[in-house]
Amino acid sequence: SCKEQHYRSAIYTPSLNKYSVMRLNLMSELKEALHDGQLHLYYQPKLAFQENAITTVECLIRWIHPEHGFVSPDEFIPLAEQTGAIRNVTNWALDVACNQLNSWQSQGIQLGVAVNISAMDLVDMRLPSYIAELLVRYKLTPNLLTLEVTESAVMSNPENALKALNVLKSMGITLSIDDFGTGYSSMAQLKKMPVHELKIDKAFVLDLASNKEDQVMVKTLISLAANLGLKTVAEGVEDIESLKLLNAFGCTKAQGFYLSKALPADQFNQWYETFNQ
Ligand code: C2E
Ligand code: CA
Ligand code: CA
Ligand code: CA
């Protein structure tokens, strides 16, 4: 009955409110975090099989909150996407990544960076000119910058997303479809996507060594991509058996804890030096 519903909501409302207040606080704190240096960009290497070298790093955001400690990006990125705060986060990440790239360039370290871009960023008309500014400011060639865009971000607004991807591609930026295999794009849509690379979601990769179905999936995705002229990156590589399988399947790059987790720049530099010895 109506009365009963009322009674129920009276019981449940306080905890719901507590949750939304927490979310609101988190979002107002995110604004501060951007200015107070609580956000950090960490770098996770990608191994290129043919070169047998680390050629790119994925930039992954870390929020170290003064009271709550570590806040996972899986928690605050979706919130920032809902509130529109993502634009400032993305611009911040692009700036830090390009600055880091400039620093590596001046040290003679040949690396590219991959930055994650949300659906809302992709259809923001100001993104291409902002990136163009950064490339000039940090004296970078555009191909050193990869943008990782999720399959679902493209599919949420395919027409505008394709327009944006075409503009970014014509600027010489490298484009990658993230979390590939978890969305619902058809073959026809995939063929139309102006991208260079597919990132195979870690859901298919984590148990690759032991799971025969995953092996079939990943092998098929890699040859599909290759037949469309696309490179492939497998994320979530946690053991050497999976790394060897991916190499045998003709995968272009591997990323995962077997190589390294995402590290702050100074620790990444040490890891990279040791790897190259
Ligand atoms: P993603 O783009 O799919 O990033 C890959 C995630 O997998 C990262 O989690 C990474 O740490 C994790 N990972 C890498 N290798 C392994 C592995 O071998 N095993 C396992 N189990 N996990 C692995 P992280 O850093 O927590 O990021 C989570 C998500 O947050 C990212 O997923 C991305 O969607 C989002 N995100 C992170 N940074 C940014 C950013 O700067 N901008 C935007 N828009 N989103 C970001
Ligand atoms: Ca990514
Ligand atoms: Ca991914
Ligand atoms: Ca993901």
Side-chain angles (χ1 to χ4, degrees):
S1 76
C2 194
K3 206 173 176 185
E4 192 183 330
Q5 262 180 14
H6 207 83
Y7 175 66
R8 279 197 186 179
S9 73
I11 292 181
Y12 289 108
T13 300
S15 69
L16 282 176
N17 277 346
K18 219 189 269 170
Y19 184 59
S20 31
V21 166
M22 200 189 85
R23 286 157 50 106
L24 275 177
N25 281 342
L26 207 58
M27 282 304 100
S28 71
E29 284 173 346
L30 181 61
K31 219 171 177 180
E32 278 170 44
L34 267 166
H35 298 289
D36 296 355
Q38 294 169 29
L39 295 188
H40 306 269
L41 218 48
Y42 279 35
Y43 305 91
Q44 188 179 32
K46 299 184 193 180
L47 173 75
F49 283 111
Q50 271 184 13
E51 295 87 341
N52 191 28
I54 305 301
T55 53
T56 334
V57 296
E58 179 175 6
C59 302
L60 292 156
I61 210 159
R62 298 287 177 264
W63 182 359
I64 303 166
H65 189 283
E67 291 146 49
H68 311 313
F70 181 88
V71 187
S72 166
D74 280 328
E75 197 174 323
F76 72 87
I77 294 286
L79 273 183
E81 287 173 340
Q82 284 166 32
T83 61
I86 192 67
R87 177 172 295 146
N88 295 325
V89 174
T90 301
N91 287 352
W92 172 86
L94 282 166
D95 193 323
V96 174
C98 289
N99 193 0
Q100 183 59 54
L101 201 48
N102 170 279
S103 153
W104 282 327
Q105 294 272 90
S106 63
Q107 294 168 258
I109 296 173
Q110 300 299 320
L111 284 172
V113 292
V115 176
N116 291 285
I117 296 291
S118 293
M120 196 187 280
D121 303 317
L122 187 61
V123 294
D124 180 353
M125 306 283 282
R126 289 165 289 184
L127 183 70
S129 58
Y130 179 71
I131 290 175
E133 268 172 50
L134 290 177
L135 296 175
V136 171
R137 188 188 313 160
Y138 294 112
K139 305 180 190 67
L140 305 170
T141 56
N143 65 307
L144 292 174
L145 176 65
T146 298
L147 300 183
E148 295 190 8
V149 184
T150 61
E151 187 184 8
S152 55
V154 176
M155 288 312 141
S156 69
N157 188 346
E159 202 179 318
N160 287 339
L162 285 190
K163 272 188 203 150
L165 290 173
N166 274 309
V167 171
L168 294 163
K169 193 183 184 187
S170 72
M171 289 168 62
I173 291 160
T174 306
L175 299 174
S176 181
I177 297 288
D178 205 352
D179 296 353
F180 190 76
T182 61
Y184 298 95
S185 40
S186 69
M187 296 286 171
Q189 284 163 324
L190 181 59
K191 215 175 68 179
K192 275 195 286 183
M193 280 187 209
V195 299
H196 304 88
E197 177 186 281
L198 297 184
K199 262 193 110 165
I200 302 169
D201 193 72
K202 58 178 176 286
F204 303 106
V205 180
L206 288 172
D207 300 321
L208 193 66
S210 59
N211 188 311
K212 290 274 183 286
E213 278 100 35
D214 284 347
Q215 290 174 21
V216 172
M217 269 313 247
V218 168
K219 195 179 175 178
T220 307
L221 281 178
I222 291 168
S223 50
L224 168 71
N227 285 324
L228 291 169
L230 301 174
K231 294 182 172 158
T232 39
V233 181
E235 66 175 23
V237 180
E238 294 191 348
D239 50 70
I240 187 146
E241 293 78 19
S242 302
L243 192 77
K244 285 181 174 166
L245 279 171
L246 289 162
N247 190 22
F249 294 163
C251 191
T252 319
K253 290 177 197 167
Q255 176 184 354
F257 296 166
Y258 177 70
L259 292 159
S260 173
K261 63 178 185 181
L263 298 169
D266 53 341
Q267 284 178 42
F268 172 81
N269 287 340
Q270 281 174 23
W271 179 92
Y272 180 75
E273 212 173 282
T274 311
F275 182 89
N276 286 323
Q277 267 161 19

